[in-house]
Amino acid sequence: MIVVKLIASPIPGLCIAGENKFLGTVRPNMHKASLTALSAGLVERLDESGVHCELEIVDMQIGDVQFTKYGILDYENLVIEKHRVGIPFENIKLKIVESDIIGLSANFTHSRKIITDLASYCKVIKKNIILIIGGADATSNPLYYLKYGADIIVKGEGEITFQLLIERIHFKKDFESVPNIVYKSKSGKIKVNRINYLKQQFNIEKMNPPNLDIVDLSKYTDTGEGKPPISITPPFISVETSRGCFHSCSFCTTPQMKGRYRYMKENNINKHFEYFKSKGINTILFQEDNILSRIWRKKNSDYFFNNGRKELIDIFKIARNMEFNWEFTNGLELGLFENNGIIDDELIHYMFWNKKDNRNIKGCYRASIPLENLTKSNILLFRKLKPFDSMKTIIKILSELNLEMLSFNLIIGRPQDDEITLRKTFLKCLEIKELFAHYGNNTQIYFNIYNLALIPGTIDSIKFQNLLAFDLEKDPEVITFYLGCLRTGNFSPLEITQARGTLVQKLNDNSLIKDYDNTFNLTHKRFYNLFK
Ligand code: B12
Ligand code: SF4
């Protein structure tokens, strides 16, 4: 028998000494989709290959969560404390001792110091334990993780590779034939095996539902986007009906991580949704990369997938029939609803269908809309966007749908952004607010203002590397949407952080900021003057 534990490590929380609020969101109570996806059907598949595996998910972000100060970030004239939010390492000592293999998820660059500290701790407790690390950050920076404790890095989607590795380790075989890994050989040399995950992609059609049998669902009380309406009840779980995306936005890791778009058909979606119902789940969060890639069009305007639109509608028919509530927490590519000036009203109505009965809501209650950039050059920067006026027409339709909540996401702090750009952004946001004041049927709107985070592996990280003001081995925590990390010709990291904070305060009510982010916003009178 082989004992495997998948661990969600503690997460970082940054705060100015003396302040009791974090500078960015800290969301421990979320479903760890990477780990439940890796665990889906794993024990059964291993059994078929003659490996008896005892599998456990250890979520260090829930339970006896404590704050442990682990460092200081020197942020211009501010001293920012770094806190580890989660179960103290010592409390999982026994779990480490019991394990043959530990799998750690490293999606977020800002957590990489904590993850490698935990990896080193595991090695101290049990020298011969095998540490496997995967996720978006590990995929783009395998050498960092190997340098600080990991034995094997899995690049890209991990389901198949992780299974192969467990089999090889169990049968004491070498890793030569396992694709998509970077590892240390016995002689200590770094080896990179054939990397083919973007070409031979994981078959979504055969994907099992996430394994929710081995997690404590009652602890997943956070939607990741702030408080939902009162009648929407936890547990909240994120679902995937597709992976990948047709676009390659310069700030996003999906093109390098998940690659070309693939999606699940009705049968499998039914199976997944039935499983969720059987687990007592009523609310689902669509957090996949780009659910709307199903209606991607070729240059001649024909759909890329003949049945994509129908199958998209089917998802929401199933969700509605099964009486789920849902929200789109990962931004929707709104522009795809429009083609040659015609808006797909029918599709919009299926996806955003909702019904209210007193205070009870059924169907869609919230969506998050990526506006990203509101300047004239937005369509040149991001191919997924449409000109502001065209987006506004679609937003107007959304405003009439009786939705409870809509969030709009914007990214500021690109190197070309100056005060004029920020002011224009502010004014365009006011236009959106006005639109809702006119048509909005009480839809509560919120503006998520994000700083450009130079995420390793993205196009931006290559283009703007020389502007990065921090060493990511020492201060990886700056890779969040809440702190600036670039020194551009127009703003220092602190200045753009203050611009973000001020914009958030000017555009959103304090009570909403508390419900959505509950963060401490750094502001400045220079920006209050700019956003008058
Ligand atoms: C859901 C989500 C969140 C949730 C968090 C959910 C959670 N607690 O895990 C919320 C909304 C809170 C969130 C917040 C943030 N997020 Co986010 N988020 C996502 C999103 C949209 C989906 C992640 C997911 O669950 N995917 C589904 C699972 C099945 O896929 P997966 O995680 O990639 O796992 C597969 C592989 O990575 C691999 N794998 C993963 N772990 C492991 C471990 C082992 C051992 C192995 C073998 C393989 C393996 O195998 C898995 C199965 O194929 C991704 C984008 C994306 N599409 O992945 C961004 C993403 C992970 N987020 C990102 C960022 C930047 C953030 C924030 C820092 C932004 C901010 N607010 O400042 C915060 C920080 C979060 C925190 N912990 O504090 C970046 C991370 C990039 C980076 N290098 O840092 C991503 C990649 C988006 C992007 N811009 O490209 N996020
Ligand atoms: S459309 Fe969304 S998922 Fe696709 S590359 Fe752009 S940001 Fe990433």
Side-chain angles (χ1 to χ4, degrees), residues 303-361:
Y303 285 120
F304 190 87
F305 301 109
N306 288 337
N307 272 335
R309 181 178 178 277
K310 179 192 167 297
E311 289 174 35
L312 192 52
I313 290 178
D314 285 342
I315 300 178
F316 296 95
K317 280 188 180 163
I318 300 172
R320 180 171 161 175
N321 287 341
M322 289 194 187
E323 301 202 329
F324 278 113
N325 303 307
W326 64 87
E327 76 168 294
F328 300 100
T329 45
N330 209 9
L332 286 172
E333 191 189 339
L334 213 60
L336 282 173
F337 286 125
E338 186 256 4
N339 182 47
N340 290 333
I342 298 167
I343 292 175
D344 193 339
D345 258 325
E346 188 191 31
L347 178 59
I348 292 180
H349 278 88
Y350 273 108
M351 289 181 68
F352 295 92
W353 174 84
N354 63 78
K355 194 173 122 197
K356 279 172 212 156
D357 179 5
N358 286 327
R359 297 188 81 183
N360 271 332
I361 302 163

Side-chain angles (χ1 to χ4, degrees), residues 244-249 251-255 289-290 331 333 372 384:
C245 177
F246 271 109
H247 285 295
S248 49
C249 300
F251 57 85
C252 173
T253 60
T254 292
D289 304 308
N290 193 341
E333 191 189 339
E372 319 297 28
K384 70 170 175 179

